[in-house]
Amino acid sequence: MERNYSIDFIKFFATVFVVCIHVNPSHDDFFLGNQENVLDVIVDTFARFAVPFFFIVSGYLFMNKIQKHPKPSAYLKKYTWNISKLYACWFVFYLLFGVVLRLFQNHGTLAERKGAVADYLTSSITFKDIFYYGSDTSGFQLWYLIALIWAVVIVFLFQRWKKIGLLMLISTVLYVTGLFGQSYSLFFPLSFQTRDALFFGLFYTVLGAMFALYGKQILSVLNARPMVYLASFFVFSALEIAERYWLVNIQHSKPGDYFISTIFLSASLFLFVLSSPALGKNSFFSKVGKNSVGIYVVHICILNETYRLLRSIDSSFFTNSVVAYILIVPAVFWCSYYLYRGIQWTKEKLHVKPHKHPITKLQHK
C-alpha cells in the first residue's frame, strides 16, 4: 500500500491541540479554577479531535499491517510489547516525578509532605490503574497507551474471528453508553470512568481498522474532493462546540472528553487524510509529527515545570487565555519535542536500542 504522508502531517496539529487541552488556564490543575471564558471553551472543545485521531490512525495502521503480515499473532505480540515497554518506562518516571513534586513542595511540614507521598502512592499503585486506567499518576496522559493496548488486542481477536463488523456495532453501543459518563451524565449518570479503552478508545480504533479494510470503497462511493471532507470536519467541529456549550453551559452538566459530534468530525478528518495521501510529504510538520508519541508522553512534566517557573514570576499574566495559547503552548510543545529528541540522541550515543513506536510509525509502504 502506498505510504500516506498526511498522517504525520495531521499528527503535528493533533499534538499541538493535546497541549492546548492541558494548558487551558481554566483547568484547576495549575490555576486553582480560573473562570472559563469563550476562548477556553472553543479551543478545549475543538482540540478534542486529537485523541480520537490518534486512535483511528493506530487502528488503521495496525489493521493494514496484520492484513499482510505472514504471522499476525507475532506482529500483535511485538506491537503490544513495544507499547507496553514505553508505557512501563514512563509510568515509573511519572510515578517518581509525582513523589518528587510532593516531597519537595514549598508548603507543609516534612511529615505532611511524606503523608502526601504515601497517599499518592496508595492511590496510584493499584491493579486497575496500572493495567487499565493508567491515569492516577502525575502522568495522567499515559491512559492513552494502556487503552490502545487493550483496543488493538480486541480488534485483533475479532478480526481473527472474522467478526470485525460485529465489533464495530459493539464498540458503537459502548461509546454511546460512555457518553453518560461524560457530559450526558445529567440524563443518566454513570458511576465509573468512561474515558478508557472500552467506552472510548475501542470505538475509534475499530473505526480506523474499518477504514483500513474499506477505505477505498468508502472514498469511491462518496466520490468527494478532499476539501469537502475538510470542510465537513470544521462544520462538525462547530457542532461539537455547540453541543458542548448546550450540555455544560446551559444544562450545567460536567465537561466531557468526547461527544456525539466527535464521531462525525473524526471520520471526516480521516477521510480527508485518506483522500490526500501526499499532503505534507517531506515537510517540517510531518517530520515533527513523526515524534508525536514522544511529545505526548513528555509534555506533562514540561508543563508542570513551566508553571512552577511562571508562578514564581507573574502567574496572573500567564493565566490569561490568549497569552497561554500564544506563548505557553508553543513553549511546552517545542521543549517537549527537543527533550524527546535529546533522549533519543542520548540513547543512540549510549548504544541503547531505541523504542520502536508502532503507534506513530508509518507502516503502510
Side-chain angles (χ1 to χ4, degrees):
M1 180 177 289
E2 182 183 353
R3 183 168 182 166
N4 191 313
Y5 296 93
S6 62
I7 289 178
D8 283 330
F9 183 79
I10 299 298
K11 281 196 298 186
F12 171 88
F13 298 99
T15 310
V16 169
F17 278 105
V18 166
V19 178
C20 284
I21 291 172
H22 296 144
V23 165
N24 187 336
S26 66
H27 290 175
D28 61 6
D29 302 64
F30 305 108
F31 295 118
L32 303 177
N34 279 26
Q35 186 64 39
E36 185 177 65
N37 58 43
V38 175
L39 180 61
D40 294 328
V41 171
I42 293 173
V43 172
D44 186 78
T45 310
F46 176 78
R48 297 293 166 174
F49 80 88
V51 174
F53 179 76
F54 289 139
F55 277 117
I56 293 174
V57 168
S58 298
Y60 176 79
L61 298 181
F62 179 77
M63 181 58 71
N64 272 333
K65 190 66 176 184
I66 63 172
Q67 284 289 100
K68 64 181 182 180
H69 200 282
K71 296 181 179 180
S73 296
Y75 179 72
L76 172 69
K77 181 179 179 180
K78 179 181 178 182
Y79 185 98
T80 54
W81 175 241
N82 284 335
I83 302 176
S84 297
K85 288 191 295 182
L86 179 68
Y87 171 71
C89 289
W90 286 98
F91 184 91
V92 172
F93 170 83
Y94 277 106
L95 186 67
L96 298 176
F97 183 69
V99 169
V100 172
L101 288 179
R102 287 159 178 79
L103 196 58
F104 295 97
Q105 58 188 331
N106 294 326
H107 60 275
T109 65
L110 180 59
E112 290 172 335
R113 284 178 277 165
K114 287 182 178 180
V117 169
D119 292 341
Y120 166 70
L121 292 176
T122 300
S123 64
S124 300
I125 307 177
T126 63
F127 184 87
K128 69 176 182 178
D129 190 65
I130 295 174
F131 295 102
Y132 187 71
Y133 287 114
S135 59
D136 279 348
T137 67
S138 293
F140 55 85
Q141 83 282 16
L142 300 180
W143 75 269
Y144 167 76
L145 298 178
I146 197 67
L148 181 60
I149 293 172
W150 285 108
V152 296
V153 168
I154 295 171
V155 167
F156 176 83
L157 291 175
F158 274 80
Q159 175 62 9
R160 192 168 189 175
W161 299 330
K162 301 186 185 304
K163 298 290 185 180
I164 196 70
L166 175 62
L167 181 59
M168 186 77 255
L169 176 61
I170 293 172
S171 65
T172 301
V173 172
L174 288 170
Y175 182 89
V176 173
T177 302
L179 289 171
F180 295 100
Q182 300 290 314
S183 294
Y184 283 85
S185 60
L186 69 101
F187 300 110
F188 184 78
L190 298 178
S191 59
F192 50 86
Q193 181 176 320
T194 61
R195 189 197 63 177
D196 64 353
L198 287 178
F199 293 99
F200 181 33
L202 180 62
F203 172 80
Y204 289 106
T205 306
V206 178
L207 185 60
M210 296 294 282
F211 277 127
L213 294 171
Y214 306 111
K216 288 184 178 180
Q217 294 93 315
I218 294 171
L219 290 176
S220 177
V221 170
L222 295 176
N223 193 29
R225 294 183 178 182
M227 291 307 296
V228 173
Y229 301 124
L230 186 61
S232 298
F233 164 70
F234 285 110
V235 169
F236 285 119
S237 293
L239 289 175
E240 183 183 55
I241 293 170
E243 181 181 3
R244 190 265 188 200
Y245 183 83
W246 178 74
L247 288 166
V248 178
N249 297 81
I250 296 179
Q251 298 298 322
H252 305 293
S253 184
K254 66 179 182 180
D257 298 292
Y258 56 96
F259 304 87
I260 295 174
S261 305
T262 313
I263 299 173
F264 303 100
L265 67 90
S266 300
S268 298
L269 180 60
F270 203 73
L271 285 170
F272 171 70
V273 166
L274 291 180
S275 63
S276 311
L279 179 67
K281 183 178 180 180
N282 300 323
S283 71
F284 174 75
F285 297 108
S286 295
K287 176 184 176 183
V288 176
K290 289 179 180 179
N291 297 274
S292 59
V293 68
I295 299 170
Y296 182 85
V297 298
V298 167
H299 81 279
I300 292 300
C301 71
I302 295 292
L303 186 57
N304 269 281
E305 294 308 303
T306 298
Y307 282 129
R308 183 192 294 270
L309 173 63
L310 295 182
R311 285 194 196 99
S312 68
I313 302 173
D314 182 6
S315 63
S316 61
F317 171 77
F318 287 102
T319 56
N320 178 281
S321 296
V322 175
V323 173
Y325 297 127
I326 292 178
L327 296 182
I328 299 177
V329 168
V332 171
F333 179 88
W334 290 113
C335 285
S336 301
Y337 170 71
Y338 286 111
L339 175 58
Y340 176 71
R341 294 301 305 161
I343 292 171
Q344 300 309 303
W345 180 84
T346 302
K347 288 166 67 176
E348 289 176 6
K349 292 299 181 181
L350 295 176
H351 303 290
V352 177
K353 187 176 180 180
H355 286 298
K356 294 181 179 180
H357 300 319
I359 311 168
T360 57
K361 184 180 178 182
L362 287 174
Q363 303 164 21
H364 46 295
K365 297 180 180 181

